[in-house]
Amino acid sequence: MSGVPELNDIDELLAGLDEEQYEAVTAKSRIVVVMAGAGSGKTRVLTRRIAYRIASGGAAPEKTLAVTFTRKAASELSERLWSLGVDGPAAGTFHSVALRTLKRRHGHRTPKILGSKASIISRVAGNQADAALVREVSREIDWAKARMIPPSRYLTAAADRATAIEQHTISAIYEKYEAEKERRGVIDFEDILLRVTSDLEQDPRFSAEMQSLFRHIYVDEFQDVNPLQYRMLSALMTDESDLFVVGDPAQAIFSFAGADPGYLTGLSERQEDVAVVRLTGNYRSTPEIVEIANSIPAAEAPAKLRPTLPEGAHPEIRDFADEEAEARGIARLLRDGYESRHGWRSSAVLYRIAAQSAPIEAALHDHGIPFTVRDGLFTQRPEVASALQRLKEADAAPGIALSGLVAEIAEEIAEGEDEKANLEVLLAMAEEYESIAPGAMGDAAEFAEFVRQSRETPARSGNSVTLLTLHSSKGLEFRNVIIAGCEDGLIPVYHSKKRAEIDEEQRLFYVGVTRAREKLTLTWARQRRTGQGISAREESPFLAGPRAALRALAQREIPTKDWGKEIAKQRSAIGKPHDADATD
């Protein structure tokens, strides 16, 4: 296969593009920013742009670099380019590109890459080290390095961040972590980008070599770029380089990890000769689901989505008595909506926090519905697995109820909010077990085995419902989507107080809604068990827009109307205090 399509293939490359996609693919500017709405064909535009530029003689394949955020996305991009007759462009994640560049610069002297931070963090943390602490410190180090913050500046920079562990502890461990890495002569994954950026900025000869090698740069999911990645990208460019970026500010959901969507929305102010193109046609979801998506005022959404597919079923909002009733209702929805031609794999249940999966796992197990938990089975989460192991090893303690024993263990090992939430679910299960088997005093090992067995439902040949968090759903799509826990305190999550945090929660909800192709159901529970017992719940303020959209749909008011009043109402509702009893 030829690496460069013949010039007479250009018409074929442009065939089938809508007006907006055509404008993006053929834009003449040196820098092109594509604001690509959900389901608008951004990967198609990205690959066609690369192929078009090469076919028209505007770019050489060997000087073309495409950067993605996952290996899967890089592989898919390369495969699509190959199908278009294009071979030669380099494609990879920021880290893989940086590592190749680092090895090009240092050869066999390239430092050894640390596979995981956990071993060093555990060592330098000493007696404090447990799974929750290691995980939290690792997250904070990732965030700090993404924003190029050394240990000496961590406390000042992180002052407004909510962390599960005292920040002075994190700062001290971060400093010891860096010193131990230096002593061992190793670097971590974030250091790869830091080292490469430093080399490019300090060595003019090396930077000129790399800038000549990568004259044409393409970046996918640009709303997820962090300051370190942007700086590395800037060091690879000259005034002669061309840049093509694709992203959606309405799907910017990773600021907690250091991402800054301002690099996407503000690129036209930072650079000269910039063309901004908006893709609004949605080729994924039915008009009814698009209507729901457009009713969510996702902060900085470039434009409302434009439906292109035939009409389908109306989305639904359902409420239930409690989280267990909600889980059973979800199981019935999945069972009743099952179609053999699509299989179970075409459905997904999304939720805000991982702890929500426990009752859903149990309900699907009871209904014989195969499922896969993308974020790990409830029983496989470190804190739950640790608690179950301790229960199995515990001796029967006269006079101590099983739930009391679980509560003691949970108090000892819980650190972060996620861990506490999962262990609260385990405690609720212990209380339920006691109610089923009165007098279960210290029957810990039997209970631990009961929990394990009741939640093991293997998938049948990969044909299973997917359970996953809203964050993990990014980039995926399913025929049938159920979003569970659409209540205040979960969506938005209870610790989101600042305007920017609430806006990001709203974008996260928008991401979840736009994963659905044909069917969408939003569910919530009128009461839910938390660490303080059973608390009454209210539906999410984010449902105000979807409810108005459903009323409009009932009257067949399509296309999309003006949502100004509903958005104002929703923003007003979001401003009220959140339920302090909620869990994360």
Side-chain angles (χ1 to χ4, degrees):
M1 180 182 293
S2 171
V4 182
E6 298 293 332
L7 289 180
N8 58 13
D9 289 336
I10 289 180
D11 289 341
E12 185 177 345
L13 289 173
L14 300 178
L17 299 177
D18 68 23
E19 186 175 337
E20 295 167 338
Q21 293 171 339
Y22 182 93
E23 180 184 358
V25 170
T26 60
K28 304 296 184 184
S29 298
R30 183 176 70 88
I31 296 177
V32 181
V33 177
V34 180
M35 302 287 195
S40 62
K42 69 179 182 63
T43 305
R44 186 186 198 201
V45 166
L46 184 60
T47 52
R48 294 295 179 95
R49 169 70 175 190
I50 295 172
Y52 171 79
R53 289 274 290 152
I54 293 172
S56 61
E62 68 275 10
K63 292 185 178 294
T64 298
L65 171 67
V67 185
T68 67
F69 277 84
T70 66
R71 289 189 297 272
K72 180 181 177 182
S75 176
E76 179 186 352
L77 190 145
S78 294
E79 289 173 3
R80 289 205 190 187
L81 287 174
W82 181 266
S83 70
L84 294 173
V86 178
D87 184 24
T93 64
F94 272 99
H95 285 91
S96 67
V97 170
L99 182 58
R100 277 182 280 173
T101 305
L102 196 66
K103 288 183 175 180
R104 186 184 184 101
R105 173 85 164 88
H106 297 283
H108 69 278
R109 292 181 291 108
T110 302
K112 182 180 178 181
I113 311 300
L114 185 66
S116 168
K117 296 179 177 67
S119 61
I120 293 183
I121 292 174
S122 296
R123 177 183 177 85
V124 301
N127 295 333
Q128 316 175 69
D130 60 23
L133 180 140
V134 170
R135 187 161 51 249
E136 181 72 5
V137 172
S138 181
R139 288 172 183 166
E140 285 301 291
I141 292 175
D142 285 346
W143 171 82
K145 291 195 172 188
R147 304 191 76 81
M148 297 173 287
I149 299 166
S152 60
R153 291 200 295 112
Y154 172 78
L155 286 175
T156 301
D160 292 334
R161 282 177 66 78
T163 56
I165 296 172
E166 211 276 327
Q167 289 185 349
H168 281 281
T169 299
I170 295 172
S171 178
I173 295 175
Y174 183 14
E175 186 173 2
K176 291 177 182 177
Y177 168 82
E178 290 297 301
E180 180 64 15
K181 279 200 297 100
E182 186 173 355
R183 187 187 72 80
R184 296 188 187 187
V186 298
I187 61 175
D188 60 29
F189 280 102
E190 285 65 42
D191 291 333
I192 298 173
L193 274 67
L194 285 165
R195 291 286 184 96
V196 165
T197 301
S198 177
D199 286 347
L200 290 169
E201 291 178 344
Q202 296 180 18
D203 186 337
R205 180 177 297 179
F206 177 61
S207 63
E209 176 188 350
M210 299 311 299
Q211 289 162 355
S212 175
L213 180 63
F214 299 135
R215 292 292 301 277
H216 319 288
I217 301 176
Y218 300 78
V219 187
D220 193 12
E221 302 287 6
F222 203 70
Q223 79 279 348
D224 294 334
V225 164
N226 63 44
L228 175 56
Q229 292 164 339
Y230 185 80
R231 187 162 174 175
M232 186 188 88
L233 191 65
S234 299
L236 284 171
M237 294 183 61
T238 70
D239 292 340
E240 303 300 318
S241 306
D242 54 74
L243 177 67
F244 187 92
V245 303
V246 181
D248 182 5
Q251 298 186 68
I253 59 173
F254 294 111
S255 67
F256 67 89
D260 186 349
Y263 290 118
L264 172 66
T265 57
L267 192 60
S268 59
E269 299 172 3
R270 291 187 178 90
Q271 303 285 346
E272 297 180 353
D273 189 19
V274 179
V276 178
V277 183
R278 304 183 188 279
L279 305 183
T280 61
N282 180 283
Y283 296 91
R284 174 187 300 155
S285 307
T286 63
E288 292 79 3
I289 294 172
V290 170
E291 187 86 347
I292 297 296
N294 282 341
S295 75
I296 303 168
E300 300 200 42
K304 296 301 183 185
L305 297 175
R306 173 172 48 84
T308 65
L309 301 180
E311 293 184 8
H314 284 199
E316 295 183 275
I317 298 175
R318 296 198 180 192
D319 63 291
F320 298 89
D322 55 34
E323 70 266 34
E324 292 182 354
E326 179 188 38
R328 292 192 297 271
I330 288 171
R332 288 193 298 271
L333 285 168
L334 292 168
R335 183 192 60 199
D336 295 345
Y338 175 78
E339 295 182 26
S340 58
R341 65 193 176 104
H342 296 297
W344 295 112
R345 67 171 62 88
S346 66
S347 295
V349 182
L350 280 50
Y351 35 79
R352 176 61 179 87
I353 61 174
Q356 289 176 255
S357 77
I360 300 171
E361 290 176 38
L364 297 193
H365 175 270
D366 291 344
H367 283 75
I369 297 174
F371 63 88
T372 300
V373 185
R374 190 178 177 93
D375 304 288
L377 284 170
F378 175 73
T379 54
Q380 293 174 351
R381 289 165 193 161
E383 62 281 357
V384 175
S386 175
L388 291 175
Q389 185 60 36
R390 290 178 64 168
L391 286 168
K392 286 191 70 174
E393 297 170 354
D395 293 327
I400 299 180
L402 171 64
S403 58
L405 184 57
V406 173
E408 287 181 6
I409 294 174
E411 188 174 349
E412 290 177 14
I413 67 177
E415 290 273 358
E417 295 294 338
D418 289 343
E419 291 75 23
K420 290 178 182 177
N422 284 325
L423 290 168
E424 284 169 2
V425 171
L426 186 64
L427 176 58
M429 292 168 62
E431 292 170 348
E432 179 185 3
Y433 184 78
E434 285 177 325
S435 69
I436 296 171
M441 307 292 284
D443 194 11
E446 185 177 328
F447 168 69
E449 190 59 27
F450 166 79
V451 172
R452 283 198 176 97
Q453 292 296 328
S454 66
R455 274 155 176 75
E456 297 297 332
T457 301
R460 294 195 283 267
S461 302
N463 183 23
S464 60
V465 174
T466 301
L467 309 185
L468 70 170
T469 63
L470 287 164
H471 280 102
S472 295
S473 74
K474 180 72 173 68
L476 304 176
E477 59 182 70
F478 302 89
R479 183 184 67 89
N480 177 27
V481 168
I482 299 172
I483 303 180
C486 295
E487 60 211 46
D488 200 13
L490 285 174
I491 301 177
V493 76
Y494 80 98
H495 56 64
S496 296
K497 305 292 185 183
K498 300 175 182 177
R499 180 76 258 167
E501 294 170 340
I502 294 171
D503 285 345
E504 181 145 325
E505 289 289 305
Q506 194 165 238
R507 294 194 294 267
L508 185 59
F509 182 50
Y510 175 85
V511 165
V513 166
T514 55
R515 300 310 94 195
R517 293 199 301 265
E518 298 178 19
K519 298 175 67 176
L520 173 67
T521 308
L522 310 174
T523 70
W524 66 283
R526 295 190 296 276
Q527 65 178 28
R528 189 174 293 270
R529 185 184 297 275
T530 70
Q532 287 70 41
I534 297 175
S535 62
R537 317 291 286 183
E538 296 181 5
E539 74 173 35
S540 168
F542 295 169
L543 291 184
R547 282 200 180 279
L550 289 175
R551 290 194 294 269
L553 285 169
Q555 301 171 16
R556 309 309 301 162
E557 292 181 7
I558 299 178
T560 301
K561 57 187 280 187
D562 180 4
W563 295 104
K565 291 183 179 179
E566 291 299 331
I567 289 172
K569 177 182 176 182
Q570 186 174 139
R571 287 194 176 277
S572 175
I574 292 171
K576 67 183 183 64
H578 293 309
D579 183 358
D581 291 338
T583 58
D584 181 19

